[in-house]
Amino acid sequence: MIAYLLIKLSDWIEHAEQDRRDAYIAMAKDLAEIERRMVHLDANA
């Protein structure tokens, strides 16, 4: 039971992090800024 909860919690955290990254990239105003943000996220991963 504990293992199941830990897996579900991990999945939820991963999904929330991906949503946060998507929102950060979506706020970019042009293609160059999208690329900068993607590089920034990759460098900090």
Side-chain angles (χ1 to χ4, degrees), residues 24-40:
Y24 175 68
I25 292 172
M27 291 187 304
K29 298 194 182 353
D30 57 25
L31 185 57
E33 188 174 354
I34 289 172
E35 291 176 356
R36 279 193 301 274
R37 288 176 184 231
M38 290 176 70
V39 167
H40 176 256

Side-chain angles (χ1 to χ4, degrees), residues 7-43:
I7 290 170
K8 287 298 181 184
L9 179 62
S10 175
D11 290 345
W12 180 78
I13 290 170
E14 286 180 34
H15 184 74
E17 178 66 17
Q18 186 61 47
D19 287 348
R20 184 190 67 79
R21 289 172 166 257
D22 290 346
Y24 175 68
I25 292 172
M27 291 187 304
K29 298 194 182 353
D30 57 25
L31 185 57
E33 188 174 354
I34 289 172
E35 291 176 356
R36 279 193 301 274
R37 288 176 184 231
M38 290 176 70
V39 167
H40 176 256
L41 289 173
D42 286 343

